[in-house]
């Protein structure tokens, strides 16, 4: 069940809770034309799920510089509020810019949602130690 949803001509955003973490999936074009709508959507996602978020960018066709700046703001907000932001993105297509700019050296990026979720779990071997 999707808890938050936004659909425009350019993009579609949804947010759900997965294993105690808010997961925001963004597909289509993330650019200046929907910047304000995405800012409002992310504010709602932070309010609903808290500062622990995963942004799934695997279905993006376009990511412009303003949207890249929005990702940085979300990352900073997560840190300031005591949470963690991570990305589902690969070093190809629209999200390649995240590697070129060096953002993935600061914001953890994973090739799949499963890997991003697994990285948030405490080590299985450390239980009871």
């Amino acid at each position: 069940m999707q808890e938050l949803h936004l659909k425009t001509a350019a993009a579609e955003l949804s947010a759900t809770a997965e294993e105690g973490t808010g997961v925001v999936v963004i597909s289509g074009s993330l650019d200046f034309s929907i910047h304000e709508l995405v800012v409002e959507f992310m504010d709602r996602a932070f309010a609903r799920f808290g500062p622990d978020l995963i942004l799934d960018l695997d279905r993006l066709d376009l990511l412009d510089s303003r949207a890249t700046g929005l990702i940085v703001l979300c990352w900073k907000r997560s840190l300031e509020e005591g949470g963690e932001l991570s990305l589902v993105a690969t070093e190809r297509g629209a999200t390649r810019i995240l590697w070129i700019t060096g953002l993935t050296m600061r914001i953890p990026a994973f090739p799949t949602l499963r890997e991003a979720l697994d990285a948030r779990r405490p080590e299985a071997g450390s239980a009871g130690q």
Side-chain angles (χ1 to χ4, degrees):
M1 175 176 99
Q2 293 180 343
E3 294 190 30
L4 297 174
H5 189 255
L6 170 68
K7 186 171 184 165
T8 71
E12 187 167 358
L13 291 82
S14 62
T16 59
E18 298 277 340
E19 300 177 19
T21 300
V23 176
V24 177
V25 178
I26 306 173
S27 59
S29 297
L30 192 53
D31 64 15
F32 73 95
S33 68
I34 60 168
H35 181 78
E36 293 304 317
L37 291 172
V38 176
V39 168
E40 291 171 14
F41 185 89
M42 291 307 300
D43 283 344
R44 290 179 19 224
F46 273 101
R48 174 90 39 103
F49 304 109
D52 287 319
L53 292 175
I54 296 173
L55 297 182
D56 186 342
L57 308 175
D58 195 43
R59 296 175 192 94
L60 274 183
D61 299 322
L62 174 72
L63 177 68
D64 75 0
S65 60
R66 198 164 186 192
T68 303
L70 176 61
I71 291 169
V72 171
L73 290 175
C74 289
W75 169 62
K76 287 181 178 181
R77 181 175 178 177
S78 285
L79 292 177
E80 289 169 359
E81 294 180 12
E84 179 184 1
L85 180 84
S86 56
L87 308 172
V88 174
T90 56
E91 194 177 349
R92 63 176 166 72
T95 57
R96 186 167 189 267
I97 192 68
L98 301 173
W99 274 264
I100 293 170
T101 60
L103 285 177
T104 56
M105 294 182 73
R106 300 214 177 252
I107 306 171
F110 301 90
T112 66
L113 177 58
R114 178 77 267 148
E115 289 177 67
L117 288 166
D118 287 347
R120 290 175 179 260
R121 286 195 208 150
E123 293 290 330
S126 67
Q129 292 182 357

